[in-house]
Amino acid sequence: MSELNQCSVKTLSQLIRGRELTVSELLDSFICEIERVNPKINALIHTDFRAARQAAFAADQKLKDSNFVPGELFGIPFTAKIYMLFQTILLLLVQKD
């Protein structure tokens, strides 16, 4: 499964759209790699693998329908990194008697 992590998105898409690879199989491969590498590089501070697996299962159910035509990136896992800047906000709480 680790060889999937080296494939291009185009190849992975072709495998999924051709029903040669399930979305769940691909996701599990990616999760294994994240669990292997992330403790060393700390790239992800929050993961929700349970929700990702639920979404992958739902995608696999759609692929079982032979009439379903998946889009180019259907089933391709991705990570979105959000950068936010926060200003320091000081709050003064005053209790009135």
Side-chain angles (χ1 to χ4, degrees):
M1 251 209 273
S2 63
E3 65 274 1
L4 291 174
N5 299 325
Q6 301 303 314
C7 292
S8 69
V9 170
K10 182 177 181 178
T11 298
L12 295 173
S13 177
Q14 289 170 341
L15 291 171
I16 290 172
R17 293 171 69 215
R19 275 102 169 149
E20 299 173 54
L21 174 68
T22 68
V23 176
S24 295
E25 290 169 333
L26 179 58
L27 177 66
D28 285 341
S29 176
F30 279 37
I31 288 173
C32 285
E33 186 69 4
I34 290 167
E35 289 175 336
R36 184 182 74 79
V37 174
N38 197 56
K40 298 172 192 163
I41 64 173
N42 198 30
L44 303 175
I45 59 169
H46 175 74
T47 58
D48 191 350
F49 295 144
R50 187 175 70 80
R53 285 187 170 110
Q54 289 173 341
F57 177 80
D60 287 336
Q61 296 309 303
K62 287 183 179 183
L63 287 170
K64 288 181 179 180
D65 178 357
S66 60
N67 294 319
F68 176 69
V69 180
E72 290 289 325
L73 296 177
F74 181 84
I76 302 296
F78 70 94
T79 300
K81 195 126 178 147
I82 300 171
Y83 294 97
M84 291 185 218
L85 296 175
F86 293 95
Q87 286 184 321
T88 303
I89 300 172
L90 299 175
L91 295 177
L92 178 61
L93 300 176
V94 179
Q95 179 179 4
K96 290 187 177 183
D97 291 332

